[in-house]
Amino acid sequence: MPARNAAFAEESAEVEVLFAEGENWGGISKRIKSSLEKLNSSGDVMKEAAGSGYSSTSTSQIVLSNIDKLLAACEKIRKPLESKSDEEKIIRGGPTAVGLKDYLASLQRISRSLSQMTATKLRVNQEAINGVSDLISQGNMQLQALFGSILEEDAQKIEPLHYITKQLPFPTIQQHKASDLGSIDSFVSSTAARSASFSQREPNTMKIYPEIRGTYIAESLQNLATASVSTSKKKNPDELYRRGTSGIGTYASGMEGIFLAEFSNISAIFARDEWGPVFESTARKVLAEFTKTLREINIVIQTSFTRDCFLSYEIIDIVGNLSYQLDSKTGQLKPQLSDAVRPVRETAKSSFSELLEDIRRRINTMQLFPTDGAAVPFTTEVITRLQILTSYSQPVSSLLASVGSGNWNSSSTSVASTTSLPTIDSLANGTQLLAHYAFDTIDTLLTSLDARARTLLKARSLIGIFLANNIAVIDRMIRSSDLSSILDPKHPANRLDIWRKRGAGAYLDSWREPCSVLMDVQYTNRGARPPSGNHGVIDSAAVIKGLSNKDKDSIKEKFKSFNTRFDELMARHKELAMEREVKGAVAADIQRMVEPMYARFWDRYHEIDKGKGKYVRYDKGSMGSQLSSLG
């Protein structure tokens, strides 16, 4: 029992110890809990403090970044300003002081600085931007002054004839100078240069070049322009203009040579898109003088229209070739040259009807025609006109096409006026059109000569030989010139054969009169056929024997009448002036008509005077000789 109590007491003591320790652990737990609460509270405070410090650090980083950017911007501002002071010394010194290459490099550097300052868009930069812009403007002005001075070095006028006659190329600007001029133009025309705020009224390279070089070309060509007008005025106003008499061809050659040389200069100096405008501006002063020269020559042509109209064709031909050459090699000036030649072209178009009217007018005012039937000199002049006309076949064909087929006729009085001619639209080409006009000219000439001859010559036979002579002159002049290749005998407007037959017929009519005298009447119902001798030869004595006294007297009278008229015609024929071709052709026609008639009559009746020659003056042999002598 006591052992049990001792064990219980020991266990009770242990329990008490355990309770005491538990109470101690409870206190410790409370203290730990209290400490945790304090720790949590301190953690919140620390958390709040740490968050505030982090936020302040981020803000500081942003501020520092902005400061760096500001410093960089300031550096950008500073550097151009520093470069401005460096470049200003070069630019204000001018390109001749430092050399063009270094001068342009300085301008390009400061132009880049201007672009950088403009890109910042800072208001504080505006004053600096204005200063740099003024500096670039000054640099541009100095470059343009240098541009002009380089051009002036080669702007002394030249003598074009030296290069034309010796077939030398016209001078161009030296290569190194052209290179410098091109460098200047490249900068002045650049975007940077144009963006600088300098006055638009100030000159630039595209204005300076035409002013200086245009004056140089105009002064160089001035003597040729003056000579073109003076050489277009003939010393003898009655002469027809001859190709090449005027100096307009040399003037055009000079223009072509000097223009092509100038286009070569422009191509070496300016950008491709500037070639056309600069070339046109450079040529403007020259073209104005050329237009003025053509107007003055046009007045000269109109003063002596029918003799100098050929100069208008030559001018059209020359200017057309000039226009083609310049347009094919430069692509420029074709419209300007067309405008320049327009007054001359209008004059040339009106010349065709005026030439025809001149033929009518001059023939109608003629007071005398040759009494021997010779051709008038005016016929030679008219065909000479046509010969000259054909030497300008290309411009003339073009002009005739613009006039229109047949529109050159102011009146229609041709010998074949009832014949309907095809229009030029159906005549195909320019050669046929030129032939049409030439045939109309010839027809107008012969029609007018025929009408006037009826008044002045009256005698039909004389009119016939007169027309034949003029036609012979026309034929000969056609065959001996380029007209022969143009005037196709089968051309529908060709009426020469009609006129040729008319002239020959009118003259031969006078020879038909004595032939008609040789006509006799034979009656087949009055006895036997007249006896013939050997080989069918008529026995004239037997024929005469069978005639009544009245018939014999009639035969005698016929021989007398024939002899008288034949002798008159022979004498008159020999008095007439005949072209070689006319004389031969007419003599042959007369012989074919007269000789057979006389031979027949002589065979039958030559025994009427028994060989005494009182009535029968010519035997067949002598008649043949007489007729042969006509040719």
Side-chain angles (χ1 to χ4, degrees), residues 151-152 154-161 170 210-227 251 254-255 258-259 262 282-290:
L151 289 175
E152 290 286 1
D154 297 308
Q156 291 74 31
K157 71 176 183 177
I158 61 173
E159 181 49 64
L161 276 177
F170 278 74
E211 179 62 29
I212 295 174
R213 298 298 292 180
T215 301
Y216 149 76
I217 297 173
E219 290 178 351
S220 297
L221 294 174
Q222 183 58 55
N223 288 340
L224 292 182
T226 303
Y251 187 14
M255 286 180 64
I258 206 166
F259 273 159
E262 206 58 40
T282 304
R284 188 172 295 125
K285 188 178 294 185
V286 180
L287 289 174
E289 181 63 30
F290 184 62

Side-chain angles (χ1 to χ4, degrees), residues 377-398:
F378 185 58
T379 295
T380 300
E381 179 180 330
V382 170
I383 306 305
T384 302
R385 288 180 185 176
L386 290 180
Q387 290 174 338
I388 299 174
L389 203 69
T390 57
S391 66
Y392 303 105
S393 59
Q394 185 173 347
V396 167
S397 295
S398 174

Side-chain angles (χ1 to χ4, degrees), residues 371-373 568-578:
T371 55
D372 59 0
E568 290 175 355
L569 288 173
M570 287 291 294
R572 178 59 178 154
H573 183 89
K574 293 176 180 178
E575 292 174 355
L576 295 175
M578 296 188 192

Side-chain angles (χ1 to χ4, degrees), residues 538-608:
I538 295 176
D539 186 349
S540 178
V543 172
I544 295 300
K545 185 177 180 180
L547 295 177
S548 65
N549 290 334
K550 182 178 179 181
D551 290 337
K552 291 177 182 179
D553 290 340
S554 175
I555 295 300
K556 293 176 183 178
E557 190 61 35
K558 285 180 181 290
F559 269 113
K560 288 175 62 177
S561 296
F562 174 84
N563 293 337
T564 301
R565 187 59 180 145
F566 179 77
D567 290 344
E568 290 175 355
L569 288 173
M570 287 291 294
R572 178 59 178 154
H573 183 89
K574 293 176 180 178
E575 292 174 355
L576 295 175
M578 296 188 192
E579 299 295 326
R580 182 181 64 257
E581 304 91 333
V582 174
K583 192 172 186 179
V586 168
D589 288 340
I590 293 172
Q591 191 159 11
R592 281 192 297 269
M593 179 175 61
V594 175
E595 192 169 22
M597 292 288 293
Y598 186 81
R600 173 194 166 279
F601 197 81
W602 185 90
D603 283 340
R604 292 182 59 81
Y605 304 115
H606 67 273
E607 287 294 333
I608 193 70

Side-chain angles (χ1 to χ4, degrees), residues 373 415 446-447 449-450 453-454 457 459-472 475 495-512 573 576 578 582-583 585-587 589-590 593:
V415 68
L446 293 175
T447 300
L449 288 175
D450 181 49
R454 293 173 188 275
L457 299 180
R460 190 165 185 271
S461 61
L462 185 56
I463 294 173
I465 210 67
F466 173 72
L467 289 176
N469 279 327
N470 283 281
I471 292 169
D475 275 335
R495 292 178 285 273
L496 265 176
D497 281 342
I498 297 175
W499 282 108
R500 192 178 289 107
K501 292 176 182 177
R502 171 179 287 189
Y507 183 67
L508 289 177
D509 280 350
S510 61
W511 287 86
R512 290 188 177 92
H573 183 89
L576 295 175
M578 296 188 192
V582 174
K583 192 172 186 179
V586 168
D589 288 340
I590 293 172
M593 179 175 61

Side-chain angles (χ1 to χ4, degrees), residues 3 24 27 49 89 135-136 138 149 206 256 299 310 348 359 378 413 462 509 534-535 538 568 601:
N24 287 333
K89 296 177 183 179
L135 194 58
I136 293 176
Q138 183 180 357
S149 65
M206 291 182 66
E256 180 183 342
I299 294 173
F310 310 104
I359 292 172
F378 185 58
T413 57
L462 185 56
D509 280 350
N534 295 331
H535 308 294
I538 295 176
E568 290 175 355
F601 197 81

